[in-house]
């Protein structure tokens, strides 16, 4: 049984600004469990198709090559699937989406000290959910702030169309694509403590800057969702799942993107 966790005022904020921070959704014990599991995964080495860390010698000074993000851990790890399908997330998402949610993706970011950021982007450029868009649930495993490369969001940017990206600065971003901030809008830092969850609309422009701290990771567990009315999705994100773990397989998948031929194969998000 799902219990409403957010208020009408919080729902109104999400609708108005495109994002919402829910404080302390996960307990310190749950966050420690996730952190320990992913540090264990890192220590055990590569998982073909999902996780490809390099040795210090192979990384040649790029710390993110030693600590790359893990894509779709829910497909190989039962704990990740458990948190992807967590009833608290689905309860909030039901209210935000105004319909039954479907889970599409999980990721884990390590972001150690000196790691590059991720240039400003829009999630639905990659997920390609139609009609409408996706929603991210970004869970802080460590404190996330301006010093250690925490996330920035651009309030009210959910009203903008999905942009055709330009090339990002490779000295600052580990991804190649970047979008512009619409006139009159500004990015703001999303300051989070472990267990806080940031929800944001798939059209919201967001990204992060390098981790400039000397000794602080900025680990995060990130999941994406869409509504039950979704009829199309990017093929990298299938299958989608109901909260009880039932896969939804009747959604049309596509490799196309909304930006013509320059980015015919969007980078994996």
């Amino acid at each position: 049984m799902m219990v409403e966790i957010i208020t009408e005022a919080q729902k109104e904020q999400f609708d108005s600004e495109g994002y919402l921070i829910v404080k302390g959704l996960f307990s310190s014990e749950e966050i420690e469990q996730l952190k320990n599991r992913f540090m264990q995964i890192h220590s055990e080495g590569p998982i073909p198709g999902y996780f490809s860390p390099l040795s210090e010698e192979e990384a040649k000074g790029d710390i993110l090559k030693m600590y790359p993000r893990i894509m779709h851990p829910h497909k190989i790890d039962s704990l990740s699937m458990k948190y992807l399908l967590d009833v608290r997330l689905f309860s909030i998402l039901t209210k935000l989406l105004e319909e039954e949610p479907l889970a599409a993706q999980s990721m884990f970011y390590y972001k150690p000290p000196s790691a590059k950021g991720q240039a400003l982007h829009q999630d639905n450029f990659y997920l390609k959910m139609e009609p409408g868009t996706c929603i991210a649930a970004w869970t802080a495993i460590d404190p996330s702030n301006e010093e250690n490369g925490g996330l920035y969001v651009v309030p009210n940017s959910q009203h903008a169309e999905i942009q055709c990206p330009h090339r990002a600065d490779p000295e600052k971003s580990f991804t190649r694509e970047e979008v512009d901030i619409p006139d009159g809008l500004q990015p703001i830092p999303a300051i989070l403590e472990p267990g806080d969850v940031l929800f944001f609309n798939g059209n919201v422009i967001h990204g992060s800057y390098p981790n400039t701290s000397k000794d602080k990771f900025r680990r995060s567990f990130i999941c994406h969702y869409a509504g039950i009315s979704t009829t199309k999705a990017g093929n990298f994100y299938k299958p989608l799942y109901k909260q009880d773990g039932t896969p939804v397989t009747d959604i049309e998948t596509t490799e196309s993107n909304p930006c013509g031929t320059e980015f015919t194969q969007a980078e994996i998000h």
Side-chain angles (χ1 to χ4, degrees), residues 12 17 63 80 82 85 97 103 117 147 194 214 223 248 260:
E12 290 171 6
E17 300 184 358
I63 192 71
S80 299
K82 173 186 172 184
L85 301 179
L97 288 162
E147 180 191 16
K214 296 185 182 300
C223 301
V248 177

Side-chain angles (χ1 to χ4, degrees), residues 174-185:
F174 76 91
T175 51
R176 294 184 299 171
E177 300 168 356
E178 182 175 36
V179 301
D180 296 318
I181 301 171
D183 291 343
L185 302 183

Side-chain angles (χ1 to χ4, degrees), residues 162-200:
I162 295 293
Q163 292 187 34
C164 295
H166 55 79
R167 293 299 181 186
D169 182 347
E171 296 299 314
K172 297 179 181 179
S173 173
F174 76 91
T175 51
R176 294 184 299 171
E177 300 168 356
E178 182 175 36
V179 301
D180 296 318
I181 301 171
D183 291 343
L185 302 183
Q186 291 293 330
I188 62 170
I191 307 300
L192 305 170
E193 294 298 324
D196 295 349
V197 181
L198 168 67
F199 295 87
F200 54 92

Side-chain angles (χ1 to χ4, degrees), residues 82-99:
K82 173 186 172 184
Y83 280 96
L84 173 72
L85 301 179
D86 189 273
V87 69
R88 290 162 291 185
L89 293 175
F90 269 72
S91 177
I92 292 169
L93 289 158
T94 298
K95 190 157 188 171
L96 298 181
L97 288 162
E98 299 180 356
E99 62 177 330

